[in-house]
Amino acid sequence: MKNTFLKCVNCDATYEVTDPRYTCECGGLLDVSRDLSKIDGAFLKKLWDGRWGAKSGAEASGVWRYKELILDLPNEEIVTRQEGNTRLYPAGKAATYAGLNNFHLKHEGENPTGSFKDRGMTCGATAAKMFKAKSVACASTGNTSASMASYAAVEGLKPIIFIPEGKIAYGKLAQALAYGGKTLQIQGNFDDAMELVQDVCKELNIYLLNSINPFRIEGQKAIGFEILQQLDWQVPDWIIIPGGNLGNNTALTKGMQELYELGIINKIPRVAVIQAEGANPLYTMWKNQSEYKPVLDPDTIATAIKIGNPVSWTKSLRGLKWANGVVEQVSEQEIMDAKAMVDAAGIGAEPASCCSVAGAKKLVDKGIIDKDAFVVGILTGNILKDPDAVIGYHQNTLQAQNIVGTYANKPIKIECNIDAVKNALK
Ligand SMILES: *Cc1c(COP(=O)(O)O)cnc(C)c1O
Ligand SMILES: [Zn+2]
């Protein structure tokens, strides 16, 4: 990995990429940086297009296809489940709902464990292997733990998982347990778990795989690379993405910046980050041009983004400035109504994902996104991750959370005879 190093976001200090650290001496977050002047963009584009459709090995992964800008390791050192290669759908009913004429949805819920986290995890697990770690740990609202447990199982590492008390979506918890994660439910919320896991990793010499880990961000850049490759390198006007711990939007803009500097793209897509009203520290800061202030008691049905103190907020802001981005917030009702539309379009996604569509609608309504703009929304997780939220909405039992089933599709109970069926189908 020549020309690759770790660089502090705050003070520009640099470290060897083989130095197993997550933060700078000054406390700042680290980026994986590379000397782009030594890379030929036109050559890369050709190389990547040549790998499209590779049938086996690391190059069949929608992350490692781009390994020159991820981690340039020999294929046999890579831990992969051939993640990525997710579809880019015309948004159908969800486009009509958002008021957009040219809207696509990139479905990251089609990854091996059902969320985009696999793109970061393949890279994080590969780093764990590079550092010869025996155990890996993360704090998680669910999808990170599902992904980490799976990749740890593949590589024979011991996964240790910290989850917050209270609701965690069943699909995600089920995966973590099933893949063999040692799962510790702590008395506290996600932000407390995040603090604890950092101390635990330091003290017990365990490799930390939260998105504070700079390698996870590198892997997640591939979402943007793959969108562009699927579009034959045509650049959308806007890319819309949900924001929780703010690693994914950081990755998106970092990747776009690298492609832009290499001349692989010649236009910068604008980026919209969408937060839930109940977990909106980035939105508040953005809107009021105020100092960063965590949300102390975050709450939202979109549990994947129920985070009050996102670790990557500084990196996220840096990327938003570069991409002339915006931040928007959406209500619980807006999230679940948008989800009903994504689901009814035949696509389907978990609640947090649907912030992309709820946010699209809001930004079109406000005149910030033009109805004819070329827009891609990222769906971050699979519909099956959180069946409780789906059933609650369609049975209209979410009133306590101030959500009504606007587009509810209730099951109908009938007697077991043909007349009852005819009656029900009327
Ligand atoms: C992790 C996650 C998010 C939030 O991504 P961040 O990088 O934490 O901002 C959104 N949706 C789903 C489904 C997730 O799993
Ligand atoms: Zn520093």
Side-chain angles (χ1 to χ4, degrees):
M1 278 185 292
K2 13 177 220 325
N3 308 327
T4 306
F5 47 94
L6 300 174
K7 184 170 173 194
C8 174
V9 175
N10 277 353
C11 75
D12 288 345
T14 59
Y15 303 90
E16 297 278 325
V17 76
T18 48
D19 191 349
R21 52 164 62 237
Y22 321 102
T23 51
C24 178
E25 288 302 329
C26 83
L29 298 176
L30 297 174
D31 272 327
V32 177
S33 278
R34 45 185 71 71
D35 184 354
L36 295 177
S37 70
K38 304 249 162 61
I39 300 175
D40 177 349
F43 171 79
L44 270 196
K45 197 163 139 184
K46 258 209 193 120
L47 185 67
W48 295 348
D49 280 338
R51 287 177 187 155
W52 188 260
K55 293 197 177 89
S56 61
E59 283 167 15
S61 154
V63 171
W64 300 102
R65 183 186 303 132
Y66 314 101
K67 73 177 188 177
E68 290 73 19
L69 290 189
I70 307 281
L71 264 189
D72 203 355
L73 288 167
N75 286 350
E76 61 276 11
E77 291 173 29
I78 289 170
V79 183
T80 176
R81 288 195 59 198
Q82 299 186 355
E83 47 293 308
N85 300 307
T86 61
R87 295 174 191 86
L88 183 66
Y89 295 105
K93 278 184 191 165
T96 313
Y97 177 74
L100 284 167
N101 295 322
N102 187 1
F103 190 24
H104 283 71
L105 293 170
K106 173 68 168 166
H107 207 331
E108 287 297 301
E110 296 178 348
N111 269 291
T113 77
S115 82
F116 76 82
K117 298 297 197 299
D118 293 342
R119 296 205 188 238
M121 205 53 75
T122 181
C123 205
T126 298
K129 181 175 175 174
M130 176 167 90
F131 296 128
K132 302 191 167 42
K134 299 256 178 326
S135 318
V136 289
C138 69
S140 176
T141 61
N143 281 332
T144 299
S145 57
S147 183
M148 189 186 80
S150 165
Y151 281 82
V154 167
E155 189 46 31
L157 304 168
K158 185 173 178 192
I160 304 162
I161 291 160
F162 294 81
I163 56 172
E165 69 187 340
K167 253 191 82 134
I168 155 161
Y170 263 133
K172 306 177 187 182
L173 180 59
Q175 284 178 291
L177 299 174
Y179 295 132
K182 182 107 186 157
T183 305
L184 309 174
Q185 186 155 31
I186 63 144
Q187 292 169 0
N189 63 23
F190 172 82
D191 301 301
D192 301 321
M194 187 68 222
E195 242 175 75
L196 178 63
V197 74
Q198 294 184 56
D199 293 344
V200 168
C201 284
K202 207 181 277 167
E203 186 143 343
L204 301 182
N205 197 23
I206 296 168
Y207 192 61
L208 177 63
L209 279 176
N210 273 100
S211 57
I212 195 171
N213 184 308
F215 298 105
R216 282 215 22 223
I217 302 293
E218 289 307 284
Q220 287 170 207
K221 292 188 315 195
I223 302 173
F225 297 168
E226 198 171 86
I227 290 172
L228 289 170
Q229 197 171 19
Q230 284 169 311
L231 294 169
D232 252 333
W233 307 102
Q234 273 186 72
V235 183
D237 298 315
W238 286 91
I239 301 178
I240 311 183
I241 183 167
N245 223 1
L246 305 177
N248 211 19
N249 68 84
T250 294
L252 178 67
T253 52
K254 183 175 188 287
M256 291 297 149
Q257 189 165 3
E258 289 168 359
L259 295 189
Y260 188 77
E261 283 173 18
L262 287 170
I264 294 176
I265 56 173
N266 53 19
K267 173 180 140 183
I268 299 173
R270 295 187 71 184
V271 170
V273 176
I274 315 299
Q275 294 204 294
E277 278 179 5
N280 64 354
L282 185 73
Y283 171 77
T284 306
M285 185 184 185
W286 181 265
K287 173 151 187 286
N288 304 334
Q289 302 280 312
S290 53
E291 294 284 291
Y292 172 74
K293 202 168 125 235
V295 169
L296 290 184
D297 199 9
D299 194 21
T300 169
I301 190 165
T303 51
I305 52 172
K306 190 172 152 183
I307 294 171
N309 188 16
V311 292
S312 294
W313 69 268
T314 46
K315 284 183 171 179
S316 170
L317 272 186
R318 173 189 66 181
L320 282 169
K321 277 186 193 134
W322 179 79
N324 190 16
V326 301
V327 186
E328 188 51 87
Q329 67 173 1
V330 288
S331 69
E332 299 293 277
Q333 187 70 49
E334 287 169 326
I335 291 171
M336 291 307 285
D337 285 346
K339 173 171 156 53
M341 290 299 132
V342 172
D343 295 352
I347 298 170
E350 70 164 283
S353 304
C354 300
C355 285
S356 296
V357 173
K361 177 175 166 54
K362 204 156 192 179
L363 291 167
V364 170
D365 287 346
K366 285 186 173 177
I368 295 170
I369 297 183
D370 188 86
K371 66 178 177 26
D372 293 318
F374 174 19
V375 184
V376 174
I378 297 177
L379 298 178
T380 44
N382 193 285
I383 186 173
L384 292 174
K385 290 279 190 174
D386 191 352
D388 286 338
V390 184
I391 300 296
Y393 183 88
H394 289 287
Q395 303 266 36
N396 205 10
T397 55
L398 298 176
Q399 273 95 349
Q401 288 154 269
N402 291 316
I403 297 164
V404 294
T406 319
Y407 307 105
N409 176 24
K410 273 190 204 156
I412 307 165
K413 287 190 177 144
I414 59 162
E415 280 174 30
C416 187
N417 62 58
I418 194 88
D419 286 336
V421 174
K422 282 184 187 161
N423 206 29
L425 294 182
K426 245 190 224 149

